[in-house]
Amino acid sequence: MKKTKLLLSTLVSFLLAFVMVFAVACNDGGNTGNTNNNVDHGITDSSKDGLALDHISVSGYTKTFTLGTAFSTGNLVVTATLNDYSISDKYTTDVELNAGEYVVDSSDYNANRVGVYTIYVSHTRSNVTRTAHYTVEVTPVTPAYGGIVVALAEGKQDTFTLTETDKSATVAKDTVAVYLVDADGEPAEEALHEDQYDADLYLGSAKIENNTTDIGGVYSLVVTLKADTTNQDFIPIYIVNPVTDIELANADTAETEQEASSKDEISGTWEFTVTYSNGTTKTVKAGDEGLTIEIDTKTAGENKTANVKYVEADAKGTEHEAATTVTYTITAKVIEGDTITYTITGVVNLTEPNWSNSYSEDPGEDINSTVDIEFTGGVTTGEHKKSATDGTELTNHLDLNATGKSIKITVGAGATNVNIKAYVSHSSTNNNRSAYLGATCFDTESYIDTIAMGGDSGNAVSGTLYVLEADNATPGTYYVYGNATVHIYAVEVVYTVASSTGGDEISTDPVAIKFDGLTAGDYYGATADGVTENMGDIGTITIPEKSLVEALEIVHTTKDKLSIKSVNETITDGNETYTLTKSFSTQGGSTTARRVIKLTLASSHSYTIKVWAKTTSNNRYVQYLNAASGDFTKCTTAVGNGSVNKHEFTANGGTLFIGGDNNIDIYLIVIELAD
């Protein structure tokens, strides 16, 4: 009987052990990182119940490994945030994933080299994949003697410039000096001999063979003791390939002529070849980072010059600049703020002397102002040649006198900043002859401008042309006349005009930039390899057409995280109240390449910019850059800790970047005219 009980007990123990082993094996099978996305924690597939994957987050992972230690996730916890759209009021739920429901990518990790490495974690649900990442550090093993310290050797350089002659750079072992460090952390006075260590060049986790490279970047010269390979130290090595030249690449297809406009259109067709010191090239175009084009498309003219500049920092952070010019032509088209020169060409080139008694020039259907010229007292012409100051030869003229012959100039009510010039002369040696420009015809006592003429040499091919001028005049009627016979060769009227409401006029109403059209979640502008990913699913920000804001872009091209958060906030600004459901989070801070809002503001104006933001820490600021490149400026007051507050600054038209110096949440931006 006892033997039977013992046998049964043994059998039961064996079966229990088998079940436990089987259960453990099943539970542990996902730790290799294989994806198993069908486990739903009791939550059905989103295609049936409206649950959708928003983003994932990670915590509990191991952050530090000593040199030579294999990577492990430690107590990694991966949480998926799901949104339920099946009901009218969306709600969010967080679910902790099992090991088999996510993939860990540790390919960047190198256990045999000290440094910082990025680990990526991804999870897929209903064909939607979201990725999170974290960093780990491999630290040196410090032996009893206290380790080593590496410094740049005397007389050696840590920066190597690639050239067309030397297209590659070789970093020698003797670039560094290596010192043992005692237990108190003090380095020895004498450096180690080169035979006692190896010095290898790395770019990221990739070892560079023979320490020779032809690619610019920030490298690491890693020193490893031969007697103790667990101990390492390194210094940064900079391989620089600065920009040296820029030129127009598509001269045959680039547009170089457009009508006058508040918007630059032709430079959008220009492509430039940038050349680097080693002879390699790349193509850049308008809108690319580092490229600025100074161009005036608001004023008509031929052979105008656009100044083009490309600035790029080398691997060490030093900025280098290349410049060129492009010649272009702007034809007259009048819109708000344009300055157009109207020269009454019929007077200058009077080839047909059978003029009627009036002449009118209408700048166009979009203009609510005209220039009208009336010849009083009949027309008398002549051919006394004169040369203008720009070398133009003026042959024909009209005769004016003190008894009835004059020119009446009428400038319509739509004109501002009026400037009138009359080019006059005469062919007599009588020094008492004068020409006048005034508001009352034949008034020699009250006038705007006069010139006394005399001593001309009759029919000389070149002689003196005098200029009568009314500057900063107002719309109205003006006369050119003389106290005796004088000759007028040309009339020029320059003024600023405004377009009609049906033209290219822009609205000057304030523009509010909200983030409600964006999708909450985390976004990465690039992978670990620097390849740009699709940011299209982030959503859109809507701005009014023909507004103060010509263009808006979220710039994020790095592998850092950008977050759009769901919020519920109401902000009142004057008579306007804004209800906000999303905020723009700058996470670790903004640059011109990451986590930043880039605006293009209409030129010829100055602006007041208002930004409402919040953070959870002290001493964090809204920052801005009113240029295509350069350093950001912080607002004068810190962002509110736990509460939304307003920050104001002024800006000019053109490029404007808005972001944060650290992790802040931007809720609203309002742009108003300051002038």
Side-chain angles (χ1 to χ4, degrees):
M1 186 66 180
K2 290 183 178 179
K3 290 183 179 180
T4 301
K5 289 182 178 180
L6 178 61
L7 180 61
L8 288 173
S9 175
T10 303
L11 180 59
V12 170
S13 300
F14 174 77
L15 289 173
L16 288 173
F18 175 78
V19 170
M20 292 176 65
V21 169
F22 178 77
V24 170
C26 291
N27 186 57
D28 193 49
N31 288 334
T32 60
N34 295 324
T35 303
N36 178 12
N37 297 311
N38 297 319
V39 180
D40 60 12
H41 302 278
I43 302 171
T44 57
D45 184 78
S46 63
S47 63
K48 299 177 181 179
D49 65 0
L51 287 174
L53 177 61
D54 187 36
H55 66 276
I56 65 172
S57 56
V58 294
S59 61
Y61 48 83
T62 301
K63 298 181 179 180
T64 304
F65 299 86
T66 55
L67 194 68
T69 304
F71 170 77
S72 64
T73 57
N75 298 319
L76 175 65
V77 176
V78 182
T79 302
T81 299
L82 306 177
N83 291 332
D84 189 346
Y85 294 95
S86 64
I87 57 178
S88 58
D89 294 328
K90 186 194 75 174
Y91 75 88
T92 299
T93 183
D94 291 334
V95 176
E96 184 176 326
L97 302 178
N98 293 325
E101 295 180 274
Y102 55 83
V103 176
V104 178
D105 179 5
S106 60
S107 57
D108 187 48
Y109 183 82
N110 187 342
N112 298 315
R113 190 174 74 83
V114 294
V116 177
Y117 303 94
T118 302
I119 309 301
Y120 294 88
V121 181
S122 60
H123 168 63
T124 301
R125 175 181 171 83
S126 299
N127 297 321
V128 175
T129 300
R130 293 290 184 261
T131 302
H133 73 282
Y134 63 94
T135 57
V136 298
E137 183 177 5
V138 175
T139 59
V141 178
T142 304
Y145 53 79
I148 62 172
V149 63
V150 176
L152 186 66
E154 184 177 356
K156 299 297 181 178
Q157 62 185 38
D158 62 359
T159 303
F160 298 81
T161 302
L162 303 177
T163 67
E164 289 194 69
T165 302
D166 299 319
K167 294 181 180 292
S168 61
T170 300
V171 183
K173 185 177 181 180
D174 63 359
T175 299
V176 295
V178 184
Y179 302 88
L180 289 178
V181 177
D182 62 24
D184 295 327
E186 293 295 327
E189 293 184 2
E190 295 293 331
L192 295 177
H193 191 273
E194 292 181 25
D195 293 339
Q196 296 178 273
Y197 61 86
D198 293 319
D200 300 306
L201 193 66
Y202 283 84
L203 180 60
S205 60
K207 183 178 178 180
I208 308 302
E209 295 298 326
N210 302 318
N211 286 14
T212 300
T213 180
D214 59 357
I215 300 175
V218 182
Y219 291 72
S220 299
L221 188 58
V222 180
V223 173
T224 306
L225 289 183
K226 291 183 178 180
D228 180 8
T229 57
T230 63
N231 199 272
Q232 295 177 341
D233 195 10
F234 71 96
I235 64 168
I237 297 294
Y238 307 95
I239 311 297
V240 299
N241 187 25
V243 59
T244 58
D245 190 28
I246 183 173
E247 61 180 358
L248 187 65
N250 62 334
D252 294 337
T253 59
E255 296 179 10
T256 56
E257 182 173 333
Q258 76 170 65
E259 290 183 327
S261 170
S262 62
K263 295 182 179 181
D264 169 20
E265 300 166 352
I266 54 176
S267 73
T269 69
W270 299 350
E271 294 181 355
F272 299 91
T273 299
V274 174
T275 303
Y276 293 87
S277 61
N278 68 344
T280 58
T281 62
K282 76 172 182 181
T283 300
V284 296
K285 57 185 179 181
D288 288 351
E289 184 177 1
L291 181 68
T292 57
I293 303 174
E294 295 180 357
I295 183 171
D296 170 27
T297 58
K298 293 175 66 64
T299 306
E302 295 183 357
N303 297 321
K304 295 163 69 73
T305 299
N307 295 313
V308 181
K309 181 172 66 175
Y310 182 74
V311 178
E312 184 177 292
D314 61 27
K316 200 170 184 178
T318 303
E319 289 190 342
H320 301 269
E321 175 184 316
T324 187
T325 59
V326 178
T327 302
Y328 64 101
T329 296
I330 302 298
T331 57
K333 175 187 177 183
V334 181
I335 63 171
E336 182 183 19
D338 281 354
T339 298
I340 304 298
T341 299
Y342 287 98
T343 302
I344 310 306
T345 54
V347 179
V348 175
N349 302 306
L350 189 57
T351 57
E352 297 182 6
N354 57 339
W355 277 75
S356 63
N357 285 342
S358 65
Y359 174 85
S360 178
E361 180 162 324
D362 185 350
E365 61 182 2
D366 288 342
I367 310 308
N368 55 4
S369 178
T370 59
V371 176
D372 297 303
I373 295 180
E374 182 180 354
F375 307 103
T376 63
V379 178
T380 303
T381 65
E383 294 188 359
H384 296 119
K385 296 181 180 180
K386 301 291 180 184
S387 294
T389 54
D390 63 0
T392 301
E393 189 175 83
L394 305 178
T395 302
N396 299 296
H397 64 265
L398 300 175
D399 283 349
L400 308 177
N401 61 22
T403 60
K405 293 184 177 182
S406 66
I407 288 183
K408 177 183 177 182
I409 303 170
T410 303
V411 180
T416 59
N417 302 323
V418 179
N419 178 271
I420 301 172
K421 290 182 179 179
Y423 295 86
V424 296
S425 184
H426 76 101
S427 57
S428 172
T429 58
N430 187 337
N431 291 330
N432 294 322
R433 297 196 180 194
S434 296
Y436 299 87
L437 172 59
T440 303
C441 193
F442 305 120
D443 188 343
T444 59
E445 299 295 330
S446 179
Y447 45 80
I448 297 172
D449 195 14
T450 185
I451 186 74
M453 300 178 290
D456 274 349
S457 55
N459 296 329
V461 173
S462 66
T464 303
L465 268 179
Y466 301 97
V467 180
L468 298 172
E469 183 173 11
D471 195 13
N472 294 321
T474 57
T477 302
Y478 302 87
Y479 298 87
V480 182
Y481 51 93
N483 65 350
T485 299
V486 295
H487 304 148
I488 180 164
Y489 282 79
V491 173
E492 182 179 84
V493 182
V494 181
Y495 60 97
T496 301
V497 293
S499 67
S500 66
T501 56
D504 291 335
E505 186 177 13
I506 64 173
S507 170
T508 57
D509 294 338
V511 177
I513 297 172
K514 303 191 295 183
F515 306 101
D516 295 357
L518 302 182
T519 303
D522 296 333
Y523 300 89
Y524 300 89
T527 66
D529 298 325
V531 180
T532 300
E533 292 183 334
N534 180 17
M535 292 280 289
D537 59 354
I538 196 172
T540 57
I541 300 174
T542 302
I543 55 175
E545 294 185 0
K546 295 185 178 180
S547 69
L548 299 175
V549 179
E550 295 179 348
L552 184 149
E553 178 185 2
I554 293 176
V555 180
H556 187 55
T557 60
T558 70
K559 63 182 181 181
D560 306 289
K561 181 170 70 174
L562 161 69
S563 294
I564 305 301
K565 298 180 180 179
S566 295
V567 299
N568 184 10
E569 190 74 31
T570 299
I571 293 174
T572 299
D573 181 36
N575 296 325
E576 296 291 336
T577 298
Y578 304 94
T579 301
L580 309 169
T581 62
K582 299 291 191 309
S583 69
F584 181 92
S585 177
T586 62
Q587 294 293 325
S590 305
T591 67
T592 56
R594 69 179 185 186
R595 298 187 290 240
V596 73
I597 301 158
K598 180 182 180 182
L599 306 172
T600 303
L601 304 181
S603 58
S604 300
H605 292 296
S606 57
Y607 299 87
T608 297
I609 313 296
K610 304 176 184 178
V611 181
W612 283 262
K614 181 175 75 172
T615 185
T616 56
S617 299
N618 295 320
N619 298 322
R620 294 181 177 178
Y621 294 82
V622 172
Q623 65 177 13
Y624 60 93
L625 171 60
N626 196 189
S629 62
D631 296 327
F632 279 76
T633 300
K634 294 180 182 179
C635 287
T636 54
T637 58
V639 175
N641 185 347
S643 62
V644 178
N645 58 358
K646 181 175 70 174
H647 307 269
E648 288 191 19
F649 58 90
T650 59
N652 296 319
T655 301
L656 175 64
F657 292 94
I658 300 177
D661 71 330
N662 207 308
N663 187 1
I664 66 171
D665 295 329
I666 298 176
Y667 284 72
L668 174 68
I669 301 172
V670 174
I671 297 165
E672 299 176 345
L673 279 181
D675 54 6

